[in-house]
Amino acid sequence: MSDLDPAEVFRQEAADLIETLEQALLDLEKRPDDGELVGLAFRALHTLKGSGAMFGFTAVSEFIHEFETAFDRVRKGEAAADRRLIAAALEARDHVARLIDDPDVDPARGQAILAALKVAVSGEAPALGAPQPEPAAAVMAAAAGPSAGWRVRFRLPADALTLGTNPLLLLDELRALGPCDVLAEAAEVPTLDRLEPQQCYLAWDVTLRAAVPQEAVDDVFLFVRDDMDLLIEPLAAHGAQQPEQPDAATAAAAALAAAAGLLDEAVAVTPPAKADAVPAGHLPAGPARSSAVKVERNATLRVPAERLDELMDRVGELVIAQARLSQLAETIHDPALVNVAEEIERLTSSLRDTTMGTRMVPIGSLFGRFRRLVHDLSEELGKSINFVTEGEDTELDKTVIEQLADPLVHLIRNSIDHGIENPERRAETGKSATGTLRLSASHRGAEVAITVSDDGAGLNGERIRRRAEEAGLLLPGQAISEGELNRMIFQPGFSTAAQVTSLSGRGVGMDVVKRTIDGLRGSIDVDTRPGKGSTMTLRLPLTLAIIDGLLVRVGQDRYTIPLAAVEECLELPTGVDGDARGRSFLNLRGDLVPFLKLRQVFNTEGRPDPFQKVVVVASDTTRVGLVVDQIIGNNQTVIKQLSRLHSGLKTFSGATILGDGTVALILDVMNLVAFGQKLEERRRAETLGRAA
């Protein structure tokens, strides 16, 4: 028996649907005539309504029904999706999310939201729950006589209840069109010993006595039509006869009530893919229909994140054990053992890649959340902003993505509040009235770079220095580089805002950004041009779990270099040597590449090996050679975090356990490259000083 809570299953599925609805509404504001977007939003609403009723979220279902009714005018082209309507629809979307979290939310709040939505659509504002006027369709039916209307016969798929379809809601929608006579056909209901509680055995014969267009009847079955048997015929073709067999109708009503009770036991786990459609008007007879229609299911499965984390831990331990086995096989020199070790290494590598793949998530799933944030802030601050995203397909470890949400929120809020000027100020400086905020992601070696850039005013260096001196972070007149000055904005409590507002001024947001990125073993680069804008670049490791590494030896110590950052390996040419501080250049096919002798960087004792090797690594567009004594080979590296005591060692990103049980430190290529750049800058400064 499954231990999943049905209500929690609904909440998880609803979160995806609400996200789809929000994205559709935001896109619709820019493309109000796009019928596909209207249909996408309407399908999300319809699915939420049906699933909510099935799982007992009655308040959600009732609210969405009114929401859907108002939005239906947009779908039919009777109302325009202007800014006012989108704002009201987004507020209704937020209320749906609140109802799902807490069904006891004050209903008056929902009534006010629906009233605003109806005003935005048609200018009318009837109160939710107030007596509704007689439907126009019913009035038309009375005037047209008893023959006006439709005969509707439908049978849902056998697994309709399991997949979240509620036939009672379909019948309610038909009744909303006008007076209906409903007859449930219970001929296929099996005996109790053969009854499957989650299967739908009933068919329905509905006589709708209202002169409504066939399109209105078709819309009732809009989202389930492909998976069902449906017949819609004019009522006049059948002489407007009343349904016969009142006794059978009574029995069928009892069967319908029993089916309604079974809805509470149905649990939707995986959304269905479309099955082969059955043409409208064709209703197969007898039980053969259930076996004739095959429903293909989407090959996806929702798994708790904790299980993936546990699986990743087990795979990490397996990688370490496999490394020990490989080393043991090399020591014993038993061919049979070597073959087994190689086979296990191949399987372990495949398992590692597969497990890592399950953790990698497109960063677009995170970027989409910020569209609403930008939309709301632009409205609140009166700024017109064009929000552009790039690199949504870039994949990143889910653990990293989960922790990136808050830092990116703060960076985006800062760009909109402090960076992008108001339209009047932009006009004075010759800029377009609409500011541009760009959020992008891309792979750069063993890292992912995420940039938040704007075309605003840029950072004010003088104001940053003044505030830093006031806070005691800098001495008056203290010499500091532009990059170090810009990074002052990440200090706790630091803010250049003139006053505290609901958006900024307390100096907390950027501190949160810095702490989170440091915790992810990443870094932040700040690039600003006064009057032109600013760019914040977050550099993050692809994963926090397992990487391919190049194992090297320096003296008696072993280190691991992330293989994704390695460009090439070569022997240190004879006669090429660094000065006392261990720096010099290699001529690689016409390019001068600086190199660092790790023996001198790490103060390694003893004499170096006679034939030293150079591992050329890259970070972004910069290359540096790392001189080592020996290149041992590739290995799968399970990353273990360093203790807080060693958190200040920026040249190491972690440690790993080798096959013999010893520990090897993992080199942080980015910081080593930066270290090499600083050495070269210092060398140039000393050279210029001697020349002067």
Side-chain angles (χ1 to χ4, degrees), residues 21 24 168 181 193 221 245 279 404 407 426 429 455 470 489 498 502 506 518 581 599 614 623 679:
L21 173 63
L168 300 181
D181 297 317
D193 59 329
F221 305 97
Q245 303 174 351
L404 272 180
R426 293 180 65 86
T429 56
D455 63 348
E470 292 173 357
I489 63 177
S502 60
R506 299 190 183 276
D518 285 348
R581 285 179 292 273
R599 295 184 63 92
V614 181
R623 295 193 299 170
L679 284 177

Side-chain angles (χ1 to χ4, degrees), residues 14-27 37 40-41 44:
D16 295 337
L17 292 169
I18 289 175
E19 179 68 19
T20 299
L21 173 63
E22 179 177 279
Q23 298 304 319
L25 291 174
L26 293 172
D27 287 335
L37 290 175
L40 180 61

Side-chain angles (χ1 to χ4, degrees), residues 290-312:
S290 298
S291 60
V293 178
K294 295 182 179 179
V295 179
E296 295 182 0
R297 301 186 184 279
N298 193 352
T300 60
L301 181 64
R302 192 180 292 272
V303 179
E306 294 79 5
R307 294 188 181 180
L308 283 180
D309 294 337
E310 184 178 353
L311 176 61
M312 196 71 248

Side-chain angles (χ1 to χ4, degrees), residues 127-314:
L128 180 63
Q132 297 295 321
E134 185 177 4
V139 176
M140 294 173 62
S147 63
W150 301 91
R151 183 190 181 205
V152 182
R153 298 184 66 222
F154 67 92
R155 183 190 302 277
L156 295 171
D159 56 358
L161 304 181
T162 303
L163 299 176
T165 303
N166 189 342
L168 300 181
L169 293 179
L170 299 177
L171 295 174
D172 286 343
E173 291 189 40
L174 288 173
R175 292 189 182 98
L177 297 176
C180 291
D181 297 317
V182 180
L183 176 64
E185 299 178 358
E188 292 189 17
V189 178
T191 58
L192 187 60
D193 59 329
R194 296 174 49 233
L195 186 97
E196 293 290 339
Q198 294 184 352
Q199 285 199 17
C200 181
Y201 298 99
L202 300 177
W204 284 267
D205 192 334
V206 181
T207 301
L208 172 60
R209 303 184 181 282
V212 296
Q214 183 173 350
E215 180 186 4
V217 183
D218 288 336
D219 286 349
V220 173
F221 305 97
L222 182 63
F223 305 116
V224 294
R225 185 166 190 146
D226 289 343
D227 299 331
M228 68 182 301
D229 303 325
L230 177 64
L231 173 65
I232 301 175
E233 296 179 327
L235 190 58
H238 295 272
Q241 296 178 356
Q242 295 285 347
E244 299 179 356
Q245 303 174 351
D247 293 338
T250 302
L256 179 61
L262 296 176
L263 289 174
D264 293 333
E265 302 178 15
V267 178
V269 176
T270 305
K274 287 188 176 182
D276 296 335
V278 179
H282 176 68
L283 192 67
R289 184 239 171 244
S290 298
S291 60
V293 178
K294 295 182 179 179
V295 179
E296 295 182 0
R297 301 186 184 279
N298 193 352
T300 60
L301 181 64
R302 192 180 292 272
V303 179
E306 294 79 5
R307 294 188 181 180
L308 283 180
D309 294 337
E310 184 178 353
L311 176 61
M312 196 71 248
D313 290 340
R314 298 294 181 270

